[in-house]
Amino acid sequence: METKTRHTAQPQRVILKPGREAALQRQHPWLFSGGIARVQGDPELGAAVPVYSADGDFLAWGHYSPHSQIRARLFSWDADAAIDTPEFWRQRLQRALAARATLLAAGRTNACRLVYAESDGIPGLIVDRYADAVVVQFLTAGMTARRELFTELLWELLAPRTLYERSDADVLQKEGLSSRTGLLRGAPLAGPIEILENGLRFFVDLESGHKTGFYLDQRPNRQRLADTAAASAQSGHAPSLLNVFAYTGSFGVYGMAHGAETLVNIDTSTEALALGRENLAANGLEGAVEDIADNAFGVLRALREEGRRFDIIVLDPPKFAFSQKDVHKASRGYKDINLQALHLLNPGGVLFTFSCSGAISSELFQKIVFGAALDTGRHTQIIGWLNQGCDHPVALTFPESAYLKGLICRVADHRGQL
């Protein structure tokens, strides 16, 4: 009698090299390819796979990404959890939404980040609310594979007028994915939409604006600038404001709304500066406003040669360092713009300076600004540290989610006093 051989499918799992489980035991959500000994089975792009130690102990569940150095994005450390079901992800979304409820409750702000990827336990998913529109980014293999599921869940939980996709970030290339943008559900967008932030009105281009349309992470820092401008105005001196890398002028709007007398916006985009003018008009703000559409590095030098001076300067540049190999060059760029800005400040003036490069640590950034101050010969004092808003929380298990850092610096007055 002929004997038949029964073939059993090998279970899908990721097995680590010996001694590589420490980061996972600390619940860090990234598993790099270098820590993997082998992959059993043939998991599909974005599949949910269990990760095991070399000794056979379960460690975590993750979404598999064969093209990325981050081979799995981890989202659960419970071996018995009913993972990857609609209800599992609905609960994760509800938890994230509840954490932002108080921010939106007062009615003075109707735009914020609702889901911040790994920090909210949903790696690769970004969800931003802009009034009655919601913008979503699917930035990893795991989220791309679940695009329809999350579209349905977000439509159900948020009931927006428009649900729009902006999966167009650079990280998609590292995941082996293509960009994708367009309407997911609801009414099509018809140009910029209006939002409220701390009672101020802004027009936002959701279809082609930077990030998902607006720098939501800077909300508390814009308020800090407003407080600085207001304090100066209340003391009898309406400050002059230089807004560098202005984009659509949000820092300038805050400054003018709280007592600044003059404003200079610098940005390479004429379209962004034009929208900045609309933002000023939407808030009924008038005054001496100058827009300069040119490269900020050159403009700062030109302003210095002209002998221009300002009471408040904002430096909010784009990301200069995309990885560790960019850090040295980026450091030179940050030092250059900070040096020029410190030269341009009036005695007693205040500098708001930022870096959104995750590869530049807070400590390194402070050293860069220190070096710039030293080269100017101006006595400079840090009077505040800045970071991203509470709707961009930093998971203690994932320090990489803290990318935005900033300093408020004050230079000495004409008597050398701070």
Side-chain angles (χ1 to χ4, degrees):
M1 187 173 87
E2 182 180 355
T3 301
K4 294 184 178 180
T5 303
R6 179 175 296 174
H7 296 280
T8 303
Q10 189 179 34
Q12 295 181 355
R13 61 177 56 182
V14 174
I15 301 172
L16 300 188
K17 295 176 181 177
R20 303 300 289 268
E21 64 275 3
L24 276 69
Q25 291 171 337
R26 294 194 297 268
Q27 298 195 4
H28 192 283
W30 289 354
L31 173 57
F32 289 92
S33 59
I36 297 174
R38 64 187 185 279
V39 178
Q40 289 185 354
D42 187 21
E44 296 180 354
L45 185 71
V49 294
V51 181
Y52 286 82
S53 71
D55 295 329
D57 298 323
F58 171 84
L59 295 171
W61 290 97
H63 289 144
Y64 187 66
S65 181
H67 305 297
S68 173
Q69 288 296 312
I70 304 174
R71 197 55 50 91
R73 309 269 180 160
L74 310 177
F75 60 87
S76 176
W77 283 258
D78 183 353
D80 300 321
I83 58 97
D84 226 23
T85 64
E87 184 57 29
F88 177 89
W89 292 117
R90 180 183 287 108
Q91 290 179 8
R92 289 283 171 101
L93 287 172
Q94 288 173 328
R95 184 177 68 186
L97 300 179
R100 278 77 170 181
T102 55
L103 177 60
L104 301 171
R108 286 176 51 80
T109 295
N110 63 7
C112 76
R113 176 146 295 179
L114 297 176
V115 179
Y116 184 35
E118 282 87 345
S119 285
D120 283 307
I122 314 177
L125 183 69
I126 298 294
V127 182
D128 291 337
R129 175 176 281 285
Y130 293 98
D132 59 0
V134 171
V135 180
V136 59
Q137 292 182 305
F138 304 103
L139 300 178
T140 60
M143 286 301 104
T144 298
R146 292 157 185 79
R147 177 185 277 110
E148 290 304 318
L149 169 62
F150 278 96
T151 296
E152 293 298 331
L153 288 173
L154 291 169
W155 186 250
E156 169 198 333
L157 293 172
L158 298 174
R161 181 174 183 272
T162 299
L163 184 61
Y164 194 82
E165 181 176 4
R166 280 289 304 273
S167 301
D168 54 1
D170 294 336
V171 70
L172 287 164
Q173 299 175 6
K174 298 178 181 179
E175 292 279 310
L177 303 170
S178 300
S179 295
R180 178 168 171 169
T181 63
L183 185 69
L184 291 172
R185 294 283 190 281
L189 296 169
I193 70 165
E194 183 180 309
I195 66 168
L196 272 177
E197 185 183 86
N198 292 325
L200 294 171
R201 301 166 64 190
F202 296 93
F203 291 106
V204 181
D205 181 359
L206 300 184
E207 294 180 279
S208 57
H210 294 180
K211 300 183 80 171
T212 61
F214 196 69
Y215 289 99
L216 295 169
D217 51 359
Q218 289 280 23
R219 181 187 63 260
N221 303 326
R222 286 188 278 266
Q223 187 59 54
R224 290 288 296 272
L225 178 131
D227 295 342
T228 299
S232 179
Q234 289 167 7
S235 70
H237 175 68
S240 54
L241 172 59
L242 174 62
N243 187 18
V244 189
F245 306 100
Y247 187 41
T248 56
S250 54
F251 275 105
V253 170
Y254 270 78
M256 294 294 282
H258 291 84
E261 185 174 40
T262 64
L263 168 65
V264 176
N265 286 318
I266 302 172
D267 200 273
T268 56
S269 171
T270 55
E271 292 82 3
L273 291 171
L275 194 54
R277 286 281 182 161
E278 292 184 37
N279 288 334
L280 287 166
N283 291 282
L285 298 172
E286 299 179 352
V289 179
E290 178 184 359
D291 292 331
I292 303 176
D294 207 339
N295 181 278
F297 289 86
V299 174
L300 289 173
R301 284 181 168 79
L303 291 174
R304 182 180 169 190
E305 291 172 0
E306 294 168 12
R308 300 279 293 273
R309 294 292 183 270
F310 302 89
D311 299 307
I312 303 172
I313 298 178
V314 179
L315 295 178
D316 186 21
K319 184 185 294 186
F320 285 174
F322 292 88
S323 65
Q324 284 299 320
K325 66 180 177 61
D326 302 323
V327 167
H328 182 67
K329 181 179 179 181
S331 297
R332 294 201 308 268
Y334 286 121
K335 182 177 180 180
D336 187 7
I337 58 173
N338 280 278
L339 185 147
Q340 300 301 329
L342 289 168
H343 275 301
L344 288 168
L345 279 172
N346 278 323
V350 178
L351 170 66
F352 285 73
T353 181
F354 297 95
S355 166
C356 64
S357 299
I360 302 289
S361 68
S362 297
E363 294 77 12
L364 176 56
F365 185 60
Q366 184 169 322
K367 289 179 181 178
I368 292 169
V369 178
F370 160 72
L374 192 65
D375 287 355
T376 65
R378 304 193 73 178
H379 187 33
T380 307
Q381 182 185 56
I382 297 173
I383 59 173
W385 283 264
L386 305 169
N387 46 44
Q388 61 221 51
C390 62
D391 52 337
H392 294 66
V394 178
L396 287 175
T397 58
F398 186 50
E400 291 87 345
S401 54
Y403 63 94
L404 182 63
K405 71 282 299 180
L407 300 171
I408 308 176
C409 298
R410 182 172 56 204
V411 299
D413 64 17
H414 62 280
R415 295 163 296 180
Q417 297 178 345
L418 289 163

